[in-house]
Amino acid sequence: MEWMRNLKITLRYERKEYVLENTTVEVDESTGTPQKLATYKQHYDDATKVVFIMVATMVPKLQNFYEDYWKYEMFLDLAENFHKKARQERYEVVKALMACKLNEGESICNHVKRMQRYVERLEKLNVFFDKELVIDMVLNSLPPSYDHFILSYHLNNMETTWIQLHNLL
């Protein structure tokens, strides 16, 4: 996911991001217009550069596997394979986040930090939560001994950030 994000940033900077989204449609030199031939040549040249950028930025194991792929097929294969892994990781992190409950006597600091790490990991996987929902999830994870705090928090209609909530707790 991070590699793909960095690749897209690089290609956007180079104005070659369109290459990932469109296949190269070959144009017959005898029947194609000069404009279509020029467009095809530009797309082909850009696609070749994108393949080199993609392969050059991969770990050696993936370089060996993808060195003979054409950019569009490589992109589709990578997206399919890594989407499955990202989906599974997202499921595991959401499961862990939802199971987060503070037990009596445990450190509130460690608990809030653990929940924050789960949320940050989900953001890296392109899952974003409304900040109020995250605060509600933290409050919901607290044991009954925090009921008075939660009631006071809601009665005062507080707007807080992670850090402010952490300090209040």
Side-chain angles (χ1 to χ4, degrees):
M1 298 281 295
E2 290 175 13
W3 175 83
M4 191 68 73
R5 186 178 314 117
N6 288 334
L7 175 67
K8 286 182 177 183
I9 290 168
T10 302
L11 296 180
R12 190 174 304 130
Y13 173 77
E14 295 288 336
R15 292 192 169 99
K16 295 180 183 357
E17 188 176 26
Y18 76 95
V19 170
L20 294 179
E21 299 160 359
N22 303 317
T23 60
T24 309
V25 179
E26 206 165 323
V27 177
D28 185 8
E29 289 186 32
S30 61
T31 59
T33 65
Q35 183 181 2
K36 283 187 179 181
L37 286 170
T39 302
Y40 167 74
K41 181 170 178 8
Q42 182 65 47
H43 190 110
Y44 185 85
D45 290 346
D46 288 348
T48 302
K49 290 175 185 173
V50 168
V51 168
F52 288 126
I53 291 170
M54 290 172 77
V55 173
T57 58
M58 291 179 176
V59 295
K61 183 178 177 182
L62 289 177
Q63 284 178 340
N64 290 337
F65 185 78
Y66 286 111
E67 67 185 344
D68 294 325
Y69 272 65
W70 187 235
K71 58 87 194 157
Y72 192 70
E73 291 78 21
M74 182 190 316
F75 181 71
L76 290 177
D77 191 61
L78 286 165
E80 181 181 326
N81 288 328
F82 289 100
H83 177 74
K84 290 176 188 173
K85 289 180 182 177
R87 174 97 169 90
Q88 181 63 32
E89 184 179 356
R90 186 174 61 231
Y91 170 77
E92 295 296 330
V93 175
V94 167
K95 181 178 170 183
L97 177 63
M98 294 180 78
C100 248
K101 295 287 182 191
L102 177 67
N103 294 318
E104 293 293 345
E106 288 184 344
S107 168
I108 189 71
C109 291
N110 291 341
H111 177 70
V112 173
K113 287 178 184 177
R114 180 175 58 235
M115 291 189 77
Q116 186 173 9
R117 282 191 305 272
Y118 287 141
V119 171
E120 288 169 353
R121 183 65 200 135
L122 287 169
E123 287 173 353
K124 287 182 180 177
L125 293 167
N126 294 324
V127 177
F128 299 96
F129 293 102
D130 178 78
K131 73 174 189 169
E132 291 178 355
L133 175 61
V134 173
I135 298 295
D136 290 344
M137 290 179 356
V138 171
L139 294 175
N140 185 58
S141 72
L142 301 175
S145 62
Y146 283 86
D147 285 350
H148 181 69
F149 171 83
I150 295 169
L151 180 63
S152 173
Y153 180 87
H154 287 302
L155 286 175
N156 290 322
N157 207 11
M158 294 181 171
E159 294 269 333
T160 59
T161 64
W162 273 105
I163 295 169
Q164 291 168 332
L165 179 65
H166 189 215
N167 290 337
L168 288 171
L169 287 166

